[in-house]
Amino acid sequence: MGTVVEAANKGASGSILQKRNPTIVFVLGGPGSGKGTQCANIVEHYGYTHLSAGDLLRAEIKSGSENGTMIQNMIKEGKIVPSEVTIKLLQRAMEESGKDKFLIDGFPRNEENRAAFEKVGREDDNIETIRKRFRVFLESSVPVISYYDAKGKVRKVNDILYFYCLFGKLLASNLY
């Protein structure tokens, strides 16, 4: 029997993140904060594909696969499923969907998840490139935002709003 990472990588034929450049939006929030509701609204209005990390893990357990058994055992033991396993499930779901716009609900949950996901992402997503891109954002985009803000044309959305109101605010602000 192989390691958890070997089980996750079994049959992998390259990452969708490396083959294509999909749009990925992480949907994060506390329990009961309305993540699923917002995802359903965004899917309906903007054609994203909603992927729930929890649903993918439960489906893998239900499949009875070797990977599913390993996931179930880890959860029973109170252990966190390794990032690589969840990432492989997400990658497979993205590839099988044939789409290129994704809402990922419930992942990443921590810094290690984030780092592992970025590791399989675009080749230019290394720390130096990210620093350069952030510097360019600060130098180029922030002045544009400030310009329009001074003219009263920037709409800021308070992310603590009740979740049904939030989507309406987003639509009204034309953020999508």
Side-chain angles (χ1 to χ4, degrees):
M1 187 158 155
T3 66
V4 171
V5 175
E6 288 169 340
N9 289 327
K10 193 180 273 188
S13 60
S15 164
I16 184 176
L17 302 175
Q18 294 165 343
K19 293 177 186 174
R20 296 186 254 168
N21 189 17
T23 300
I24 298 173
V25 177
F26 294 116
V27 181
L28 306 172
S33 63
K35 296 181 300 291
T37 301
Q38 294 309 320
C39 287
N41 288 327
I42 294 168
V43 165
E44 180 182 343
H45 288 85
Y46 299 102
Y48 278 75
T49 299
H50 177 208
L51 300 175
S52 164
D55 289 350
L56 291 172
L57 291 168
R58 285 185 286 278
E60 190 67 19
I61 291 169
K62 195 173 182 179
S63 77
S65 71
E66 181 182 336
N67 209 25
T69 302
M70 176 271 304
I71 292 167
Q72 185 174 33
N73 289 338
M74 293 198 74
I75 291 171
K76 278 183 184 176
E77 293 171 17
K79 296 180 180 175
I80 294 174
V81 176
S83 298
E84 293 84 359
V85 173
T86 306
I87 290 167
K88 290 297 176 190
L89 292 174
L90 288 165
Q91 287 176 316
R92 184 173 68 195
M94 287 189 271
E95 288 167 2
E96 289 173 357
S97 78
K99 305 286 174 85
D100 65 350
K101 294 184 346 182
F102 302 96
L103 299 172
I104 298 181
D105 177 357
F107 187 89
R109 288 183 172 258
N110 57 38
E111 191 61 26
E112 192 274 328
N113 286 169
R114 181 207 52 78
F117 189 85
E118 287 185 2
K119 185 175 169 184
V120 299
R122 295 184 349 210
E123 290 177 5
D124 66 345
D125 274 351
N126 59 57
I127 192 67
E128 190 53 40
T129 301
I130 292 169
R131 283 186 182 126
K132 287 177 188 174
R133 287 168 50 196
F134 190 70
R135 212 172 9 254
V136 168
F137 169 77
L138 289 175
E139 294 168 359
S140 301
S141 299
V142 170
V144 173
I145 295 167
S146 296
Y147 171 82
Y148 284 112
D149 192 27
K151 293 185 169 283
K153 295 188 177 196
V154 171
R155 301 294 179 262
K156 296 177 183 175
V157 178
N158 182 348
D159 62 354
I160 301 175
L161 295 172
Y162 186 69
F163 60 85
Y164 289 113
C165 298
L166 178 58
F167 186 72
K169 284 277 200 182
L170 295 173
L171 283 177
S173 298
N174 293 317
L175 293 180
Y176 292 98

